[in-house]
Amino acid sequence: MVKPPKIALEDFFKNPLKTSYQISPEGTKFSYRAPFEDRMNIFIQEIGSEEAVQITFEKDRDISGYFWANDNRILYLKDSGGDENFKLYGVDIDGKNQVCFTDFDKVTTNIIDRLDAIPDEIIISMNKRDPKAFDPYRLNIVTGELTMLYKNPGNITGWMTDHDGKLRIATAVTDMVNATVLYRETEKDEFKPIITTSFKETMSPQFFTFDNKKLYASSNLGRDKAEIVIFDPATGKETETLFANDMVDVEGLSYSRKRKVLTKAIYTTDMVKFKFFDKESEDMYNRVKKELPAYDCYFTSSNRNEDKFLVRTYSDRSLGAYYIYDKNTDELKLISEVSPWLDESHMAAMKPIKYTSRDGKTIHGYLTLPVGVDAKNLPMVVNPHGGPWARDNWGFNPEIQFLANRGYAVLQMNFRGSTGYGRDFWECSFKKWGLEMQDDITDAVQWAIDQGIADKDRIAIYGGSYGGYATLAGLAFTPDLYKCGVDYVGVSNMFTFMNSLPPYWEPYRQMLYEMAGDPVKDSVMLAKVSPALHADKIKVPLFVAQGANDPRVNLAESDQMVAAMKARGINVEYMVKDNEGHGFRNIENRYDFYRSMEKFLDANMMLKE
């Protein structure tokens, strides 16, 4: 076994060379994001040409997302300092006529429908009228005219159009904890409820059938795992199951806009899997996969005629590349690698693992081992994911690869509550923050020790958001297990966290109380699981990083944790970035954080050569 060289920290965390490629609707150009003065901006390039035109020049913040509105105009979203109040901008593909369409203070913009068949209009939602509620608007991207399509009564949390761009589905929170799907036959009609369920059940519309009469949906009604079904809004009933998997939820469904056929369903076991409904799509996937067998392959963009496609590749050891596939000539051509400075042979494999929790549940996860060393008695970083109602997936993760390159084994686990494993596995996490959810993380550590992989005296815990909470909980509630911890934008006090939710989370408050705990009814339990209230139990060094503008996990969460630690004389390092929110996006802040984390881990883990 050969150890790889020590790779520069910046190579893991710098901006991609080029990414977020999209084909123009008419199919002669593609766009992409690339760095300009360390911020991700948009460029346009003719297919077949080596020359590109930069059309945006943002310097304060990355452009977070963009799309082609029509053949000649690009729309993009950008916030300020991580506040997540995204504004919508437009610019011509020659860089002219830049305008902000939603330049409103403390308002965030979401895209509902790009209206591909209506070149000069899109449908968006904003919480402009009421900070707690998002109203849908039709936006003319030539004149900037905004027309409200429906006044949100306050409890609607999502909107969906049919294939003609008509707003016909709304999802709402009713009675504070139930979910209702509302439907109308035409835009002249009032929305009426067609099904109401507990929020623990899901009938999530994906899109309309191609005659605009029924819905394709992901549903776990009367079952544990979500399946792809056809739902009839006229009767409020499912009429057919299209695809199910015994092990996991089926997450999504794709279709061809031009041919109006279903293409594939998407689900994730250890890795992402597809169930194809359409032979043409399956043949095209297999043709690309045959040429690129070592990678996951995704068709991420196509032109209007659906004869030119962008293919994005990924693996656990590579951020992959973009290819263009011409269906007419059957030619697959490399456009650009995403991070060509990283040598795949020096990266570590991400291996799926599973273990049994102390109460008998099967927990899935991933283990990444440093390259070129024996997998015995290694220093280990435990990395619980955020959410918590999310999950870790197989694929390239720069944090994981960086830590592996520095000699650490890295353990990730989809503890109870992680999504995708069915309703029972999700529900058994309710009101279990710091309790059974934390036990699952502790049991993962014990598994790694029992396997002989981890050195029990050199184990650190690091996570962001809920993972930051799990870090603090791990240090407070299992104080002898870890050598040190790194908390990145993590919750520390369940009471102050609940009291500082963004206004547009208000419809979900009662659900959150059911899932995590009610500050009044469950006050004893929440006090028990709030790490800031148990700082006296923490024995080991802690590094805390926080964005000052974080709308989800308020600055006060980290402030109080640090104050409690300092009051006890425990070593705590604290990094606050005034121009960041829920996680550091600006490249200089990323570098600063990971440099500090590397020094902190090395100092406290006493790495042995």
Side-chain angles (χ1 to χ4, degrees):
M1 292 188 290
V2 179
K3 287 180 68 173
K6 184 176 180 179
I7 297 167
L9 176 148
E10 291 80 5
D11 284 353
F12 291 101
F13 300 111
K14 64 182 170 184
N15 290 321
L17 178 67
K18 297 175 182 178
T19 191
S20 309
Y21 275 85
Q22 296 179 29
I23 296 183
S24 63
E26 37 72 52
T28 63
K29 307 173 186 69
F30 50 69
S31 53
Y32 59 87
R33 291 189 309 141
F36 163 72
E37 296 194 9
D38 287 335
R39 301 293 181 258
M40 296 301 283
N41 277 272
I42 301 171
F43 295 73
I44 305 287
Q45 188 170 335
E46 294 277 346
I47 293 176
S49 169
E50 297 300 316
E51 300 296 320
V53 176
Q54 183 177 347
I55 66 167
T56 66
F57 295 83
E58 302 291 349
K59 297 179 181 180
D60 61 325
R61 195 80 179 157
D62 289 348
I63 288 173
S64 58
Y66 80 95
F67 61 93
W68 287 80
N70 54 41
D71 291 339
N72 302 302
R73 198 146 172 82
I74 296 275
L75 302 186
Y76 65 92
L77 292 163
K78 188 175 78 77
D79 74 345
S80 177
D83 62 9
E84 297 185 14
N85 291 320
F86 290 98
K87 296 181 179 182
L88 180 68
Y89 298 79
V91 61
D92 289 348
I93 59 171
D94 60 2
K96 297 178 180 177
N97 297 321
Q98 185 179 39
V99 64
C100 181
F101 293 114
T102 59
D103 193 10
F104 308 114
D105 191 36
K106 295 181 180 178
V107 170
T108 193
T109 307
N110 299 308
I111 308 300
I112 296 175
D113 191 339
R114 292 159 45 173
L115 297 178
D116 292 333
I118 308 174
D120 294 338
E121 294 181 355
I122 65 165
I123 298 177
I124 64 173
S125 67
M126 291 186 292
N127 58 339
K128 175 175 176 285
R129 180 186 57 82
D130 179 350
K132 299 176 183 178
F134 286 83
D135 300 311
Y137 295 83
R138 189 176 292 268
L139 168 65
N140 186 303
I141 64 169
V142 177
T143 66
E145 181 183 2
L146 280 164
T147 305
M148 188 188 291
L149 297 177
Y150 198 85
K151 184 177 179 180
N152 190 335
N155 64 338
I156 293 177
T157 56
W159 307 90
M160 197 178 89
T161 55
D162 64 16
H163 294 286
D164 295 328
K166 306 298 184 186
L167 196 70
R168 293 180 56 204
I169 292 286
T171 52
V173 176
T174 50
D175 303 322
M176 294 186 286
V177 290
N178 291 328
T180 296
V181 177
L182 304 143
Y183 167 80
R184 62 182 180 182
E185 197 161 326
T186 74
E187 287 190 320
K188 295 178 182 178
D189 300 319
E190 282 296 311
F191 279 107
K192 294 180 180 178
I194 54 173
I195 185 171
T196 297
T197 67
S198 160
F199 77 92
K200 299 171 186 176
E201 295 182 293
T202 302
M203 195 290 288
S204 178
Q206 302 273 310
F207 47 87
F208 275 84
T209 55
F210 299 109
D211 60 6
N212 283 328
K213 292 181 178 178
K214 295 182 181 179
L215 297 166
Y216 294 113
S218 176
S219 169
N220 68 359
L221 301 181
R223 53 179 82 90
D224 181 55
K225 306 292 192 298
E227 303 175 357
I228 298 297
V229 303
I230 296 177
F231 186 89
D232 187 350
T235 64
K237 303 288 185 184
E238 296 174 9
T239 61
E240 185 182 349
T241 294
L242 296 179
F243 180 66
N245 182 274
D246 291 339
M247 293 177 57
V248 293
D249 297 325
V250 185
E251 301 154 5
L253 190 65
S254 299
Y255 69 99
S256 161
R257 289 182 181 275
K258 181 187 177 188
R259 295 186 292 122
K260 292 183 168 50
V261 296
L262 297 180
T263 53
K264 62 182 181 293
I266 304 158
Y267 61 103
T268 305
T269 53
D270 292 333
M271 300 171 68
V272 175
K273 306 281 179 64
F274 303 126
K275 160 64 178 176
F276 285 95
F277 299 104
D278 169 56
K279 188 175 186 304
E280 185 172 323
S281 300
E282 185 173 17
D283 288 347
M284 194 162 64
Y285 173 80
N286 288 336
R287 181 263 177 270
V288 169
K289 185 71 173 170
K290 184 177 180 180
E291 193 163 331
L292 302 167
Y295 302 93
D296 276 359
C297 300
Y298 299 89
F299 289 79
T300 57
S301 173
S302 74
N303 62 335
R304 190 181 295 120
N305 202 39
E306 293 187 7
D307 58 3
K308 292 186 178 72
F309 295 84
L310 284 174
V311 177
R312 173 72 194 267
T313 62
Y314 294 93
S315 78
D316 55 341
R317 299 189 301 155
S318 170
L319 270 172
Y322 284 91
Y323 295 78
I324 188 164
Y325 175 67
D326 189 318
K327 193 166 77 169
N328 297 321
T329 63
D330 193 36
E331 182 183 22
L332 182 69
K333 185 178 180 182
L334 175 67
I335 300 173
S336 176
E337 293 185 49
V338 177
S339 298
W341 46 82
L342 289 174
D343 185 337
E344 284 184 51
S345 67
H346 294 155
M347 299 296 108
M350 185 179 184
K351 299 176 181 178
I353 58 110
K354 63 181 179 181
Y355 60 95
T356 303
S357 69
R358 65 189 67 182
D359 59 351
K361 295 192 181 301
T362 299
I363 310 292
H364 295 267
Y366 301 94
L367 176 66
T368 303
L369 299 171
V371 177
V373 299
D374 289 331
K376 295 178 182 177
N377 286 330
L378 294 172
M380 187 172 78
V381 177
V382 179
N383 181 223
H385 63 72
W389 301 293
R391 64 158 289 173
D392 276 320
N393 290 291
W394 184 89
F396 187 90
N397 183 321
E399 290 185 334
I400 305 302
Q401 293 295 337
F402 167 64
L403 291 168
N405 183 257
R406 295 308 190 256
Y408 297 99
V410 187
L411 182 61
Q412 301 166 277
M413 70 299 298
N414 285 320
F415 44 79
R416 71 190 66 199
S418 299
T419 51
Y421 296 97
R423 180 179 160 183
D424 289 346
F425 191 78
W426 175 59
E427 281 189 47
C428 72
S429 72
F430 289 5
K431 298 186 181 181
K432 300 300 183 183
W433 287 42
L435 301 169
E436 283 89 339
M437 292 171 75
Q438 196 69 30
D439 290 344
D440 291 345
I441 297 169
T442 304
D443 292 347
V445 178
Q446 192 59 52
W447 171 87
I449 293 170
D450 292 344
Q451 295 287 315
I453 296 165
D455 178 346
K456 66 180 178 61
D457 296 321
R458 293 187 295 160
I459 298 173
I461 183 168
Y462 157 61
S465 196
Y466 177 84
Y469 166 84
T471 293
L472 298 175
L475 299 189
F477 308 141
T478 50
D480 298 317
L481 189 62
Y482 299 107
K483 193 78 172 175
C484 60
V486 180
D487 159 32
Y488 185 38
V489 298
V491 174
S492 71
N493 182 323
M494 298 298 284
F495 299 99
T496 54
F497 168 63
M498 298 284 192
N499 286 331
S500 61
L501 299 175
Y504 44 85
W505 281 24
E506 199 58 37
Y508 303 103
R509 182 177 290 276
Q510 291 300 323
M511 291 185 195
L512 185 61
Y513 287 177
E514 277 208 30
M515 295 166 75
D518 185 309
V520 177
K521 297 175 184 176
D522 302 307
S523 59
V524 173
M525 182 268 289
L526 290 181
K528 179 182 177 182
V529 302
S530 293
L533 305 182
H534 300 275
D536 60 311
K537 298 184 178 73
I538 297 177
K539 304 177 179 179
V540 298
L542 172 66
F543 172 34
V544 177
Q546 177 72 44
N549 304 318
D550 192 337
R552 306 187 204 184
V553 177
N554 196 275
L555 177 64
E557 291 301 304
S558 293
D559 281 350
Q560 63 185 296
M561 190 71 214
V562 170
M565 293 285 286
K566 286 184 174 178
R568 292 198 59 246
I570 298 292
N571 179 23
V572 57
E573 295 181 28
Y574 192 22
M575 175 182 290
V576 178
K577 295 298 181 182
D578 292 335
N579 60 345
E580 294 286 5
H582 197 58
F584 297 170
R585 300 289 181 266
N586 289 355
I587 190 170
E588 65 276 13
N589 295 332
R590 294 201 302 270
Y591 288 167
D592 197 12
F593 170 64
Y594 291 114
R595 281 192 201 104
S596 297
M597 183 169 84
E598 180 178 14
K599 290 176 184 175
F600 175 84
L601 289 175
D602 286 355
N604 291 292
M605 297 278 274
M606 296 182 294
L607 285 183
K608 305 169 187 174
E609 285 297 328

